[in-house]
Amino acid sequence: MFRFDFAQETRSCSEVNVDEKNSDDGLEWISAKQITPLYEDITLPEAWGLVKFNGLEIYYILPSEIISLSESYKDILAADIITAKYEGGLKVWDCTHHLANYITSNISPVDFKNKTVLDLGCGHGLLGILSIKLGASSVEFQDYNEDVIKIVTIPSVLKNLIPDVSSVPCKFFSGDWLSFSQLNNNRYDIILTSATIYNTNNYKKILKVFKMNLKHNGLILIAAKTYYFGNGGGTRQFEEAVERDGVFQTEVLWTSVEGVQQEILKITYKIK
Ligand SMILES: C[S@@+](CC[C@H](N)C(=O)[O-])C[C@H]1O[C@@H](n2cnc3c(N)ncnc32)[C@H](O)[C@@H]1O
């Protein structure tokens, strides 16, 4: 039988906890916490993948390196998502590639210079890393699973930002969006989020993060499939949730032309 067995002794970090239950929908969601990396104690993998987004090179951790830490990660990677236990962050999803290509292209309307950025549901954190390369003044990374933050996000940030890692303020958070929005009262200029709107049960929580953590003149870019088969979520469903909520307005910035349809949505506060 599949056993969820994230290794405990992953990477060296200190932690701050928020003691809060998070079980709105009957599921036991993990509470948010901040994870502070001790960069000097981290041993980086030797082999890395390399991907280019409009000329900007980013290293990412290969699945084989993840599995080398524990065989149980093989099952976790194959499972894709196990609701409220593992939410997909060990893999780099296609939507990240689309959003990364978009923000590094000359059609992007987003200027990252001196902006504060949140990479929400970051997984490997490639979008946050790119934001730093595009001039962001600080980037915060959030993923549901603490092990994802320790195994892939923090090492990727370290690898891609050496030797400047200490000159760019980065923070890392794990746990559920609901308690994250309560733990973290920072407001960001830009929130980037990719492959995160597949589960309609999470829409209220995501909107709560947006309302609690986006500056009044800030913007959000979401990359997602138009429809997630089996999950019920997708860009139209999310637009409807945004409309019902009444606080934000949405605009489709980009739509894929081949394969499963994917989109990039821009979200800003409604003009009153
Ligand atoms: C499919 S993964 C996408 C990872 C990454 N953004 C990418 O595109 O490669 C979905 C991400 O959403 C986050 N997520 C999903 N549900 C969440 C929840 N209830 N609370 C916090 N994070 C959640 C997880 O952190 C997970 O990494």
Side-chain angles (χ1 to χ4, degrees):
M1 200 183 83
F2 172 76
R3 196 163 71 88
F4 190 77
D5 183 27
F6 264 173
Q8 289 305 301
E9 68 298 338
T10 46
R11 309 255 181 224
S12 194
C13 298
S14 68
E15 293 158 6
V16 181
N17 259 303
V18 160
D19 186 19
E20 167 154 6
K21 280 272 168 290
N22 221 336
S23 53
D24 238 13
D25 51 10
L27 295 168
E28 188 83 8
W29 290 88
I30 302 167
S31 296
K33 67 162 81 158
Q34 186 177 347
I35 299 168
T36 307
L38 305 173
Y39 288 122
E40 59 281 11
D41 293 348
I42 294 172
T43 310
L44 292 177
E46 282 186 8
W48 288 82
L50 184 63
V51 63
K52 267 192 195 176
F53 300 109
N54 293 302
L56 278 179
E57 287 187 343
I58 301 281
Y59 290 99
Y60 66 94
I61 298 194
L62 298 163
S64 54
E65 289 292 333
I66 298 170
I67 293 164
S68 76
L69 295 172
S70 162
E71 270 294 302
S72 65
Y73 292 132
K74 202 186 243 178
D75 296 330
I76 293 166
L77 278 163
D80 275 350
I81 284 161
I82 309 160
T83 306
K85 290 195 169 189
Y86 164 65
E87 292 287 342
L90 288 180
K91 189 170 134 179
V92 181
W93 296 71
D94 282 356
C95 293
T96 273
H97 288 263
H98 295 310
L99 190 47
N101 274 321
Y102 186 82
I103 60 175
T104 54
S105 73
N106 50 18
I107 57 161
S108 168
V110 188
D111 179 7
F112 284 84
K113 293 243 162 50
N114 300 319
K115 299 290 188 336
T116 57
V117 177
L118 172 65
D119 186 345
L120 186 72
C122 62
H124 288 237
L126 304 193
L127 297 172
I129 292 166
L130 276 174
S131 306
I132 296 168
K133 290 187 177 274
L134 292 169
S137 57
S138 72
V139 179
E140 306 199 352
F141 296 85
Q142 178 281 333
D143 194 276
Y144 182 63
N145 292 102
E146 181 179 343
D147 282 47
V148 168
I149 292 285
K150 291 179 177 175
I151 290 168
V152 296
T153 320
I154 291 171
S156 301
V157 167
L158 185 55
K159 170 78 177 170
N160 282 289
L161 300 184
I162 283 175
D164 299 324
V165 75
S166 46
S167 65
V168 184
C170 294
K171 285 188 183 167
F172 301 88
F173 297 90
S174 64
D176 184 48
W177 286 318
L178 189 62
S179 63
F180 172 72
S181 67
Q182 291 154 349
L183 167 72
N184 175 24
N185 47 25
N186 274 356
R187 288 199 180 256
Y188 306 92
D189 296 303
I190 300 168
I191 298 179
L192 301 175
T193 190
S194 139
T196 44
I197 57 167
Y198 47 88
N199 182 349
T200 52
N201 290 331
N202 282 332
Y203 285 6
K204 277 191 182 155
K205 296 183 198 178
I206 298 177
L207 287 169
K208 183 127 192 251
V209 174
F210 291 175
K211 284 182 267 189
M212 295 299 291
N213 300 111
L214 184 70
K215 286 186 185 171
H216 74 276
N217 58 348
L219 72 86
I220 298 158
L221 296 182
I222 302 183
K225 286 186 191 169
T226 307
Y227 189 72
Y228 289 89
F229 289 98
N231 291 293
T235 44
R236 295 296 80 71
Q237 283 81 355
F238 193 71
E239 281 172 342
E240 281 165 24
V242 170
E243 187 57 34
R244 277 194 304 277
D245 192 59
V247 174
F248 297 104
Q249 58 193 13
T250 62
E251 184 189 337
V252 178
L253 289 183
W254 175 89
T255 305
S256 65
V257 285
E258 49 192 41
V260 177
Q261 190 168 306
Q262 314 213 6
E263 295 173 46
I264 294 173
L265 302 184
K266 174 179 159 189
I267 300 198
T268 48
Y269 285 103
K270 265 188 178 163
I271 300 157
K272 292 197 179 145

